[in-house]
Amino acid sequence: MELTQQSPDIGAYLAADEVIDHEHPRVREAANRLTPDADDAYTYARAAFEFVRDTIPHSADSGDPRVTWRASDVLATRTGICYAKSIALTAVLRAGGIPAGLCYQRLVGADGVTPVIHGLVALKLPGAGAGAGAGAGGWARVDPRGNKPGVDARFSLQEERLAWVAREEFDEVDYPVVHAAPPEAILHALKSARDSSELLRNLPTAL
């Protein structure tokens, strides 16, 4: 699938804001902890992915009632759903100078019928272009949701290893846009939920 930038300016995918607050000391600290073991952009990106995937439990798996949406808070509390974990990974990647943005899928929910939006991350390594192992334009998607039985997402720029593959027969969709910031539907769901149970009951069904 060809990924397209929401913003033509690559600088938008390195910027800090209220949500992807990679200038916050907590995000900088996380990035600095990864740097000594990562002497190139690929190694850093993989380390950042595995850090967010493996050390921040998905709240639906852990039962943590807290809702997080700001990258620094996700890192501080060590909890969040896929949207929050994607925001955190995007911030850590940007802190390391790697352009990163947010991507989404529309999947069938646990009831097998109701669509839900699932959050991913797209990243672009320096010098990557079409045919360089990543997708068109050098963008590649990864899924930091967190693994569990039946879910085995990996850091792979050559062949996607996401938590779920969109199935056309269930009307599931891969959205091709790389967002520089979370869409309003995502932010509204995160900010308005009183706890993770309420959030999971009211996940967006479309962007």
Side-chain angles (χ1 to χ4, degrees), residues 114 194-204:
T114 305
R194 290 170 294 183
D195 56 38
S196 60
S197 295
E198 181 178 321
L199 175 59
L200 292 172
R201 290 194 303 270
N202 296 284
L203 293 175

Side-chain angles (χ1 to χ4, degrees), residues 4-171:
T4 60
Q5 293 177 204
Q6 179 192 37
S7 170
D9 180 10
I10 195 65
Y13 299 93
L14 290 165
D17 58 28
E18 179 190 21
V19 181
I20 305 171
D21 58 340
H22 64 74
E23 295 177 348
H24 191 283
R26 287 195 193 102
V27 183
R28 303 305 305 183
E29 179 186 4
N32 290 337
R33 286 202 306 268
L34 297 171
T35 302
D37 296 324
D39 55 4
D40 59 69
Y42 177 91
T43 305
Y44 177 86
R46 179 171 181 168
F49 168 80
E50 293 176 350
F51 166 69
V52 174
R53 182 194 64 183
D54 298 341
T55 71
I56 303 173
H58 191 291
S59 56
D61 297 342
S62 66
D64 195 312
R66 295 172 293 178
V67 176
T68 52
W69 53 268
R70 185 181 286 113
S72 57
D73 291 338
V74 178
L75 296 176
T77 60
R78 286 292 198 271
T79 190
I81 68 164
C82 61
Y83 308 150
K85 294 188 65 172
S86 294
I87 288 167
L89 177 55
T90 298
V92 175
L93 288 169
R94 291 185 187 182
I98 297 173
L102 302 160
C103 283
Y104 299 92
Q105 296 172 306
R106 188 183 72 218
L107 304 173
V108 171
D111 63 4
V113 178
T114 305
V116 295
I117 300 300
H118 176 58
L120 311 168
V121 172
L123 64 111
K124 183 174 183 177
L125 293 183
W139 289 102
R141 297 188 303 172
V142 295
D143 190 342
R145 179 226 178 270
N147 290 339
K148 62 177 184 176
V151 175
D152 185 24
R154 303 292 182 94
F155 185 82
S156 175
L157 305 186
Q158 288 71 38
E159 180 181 357
E160 287 188 335
R161 294 288 302 275
L162 307 179
W164 292 284
V165 176
R167 301 165 297 179
E168 292 184 6
E169 64 269 26
F170 289 95
D171 199 28

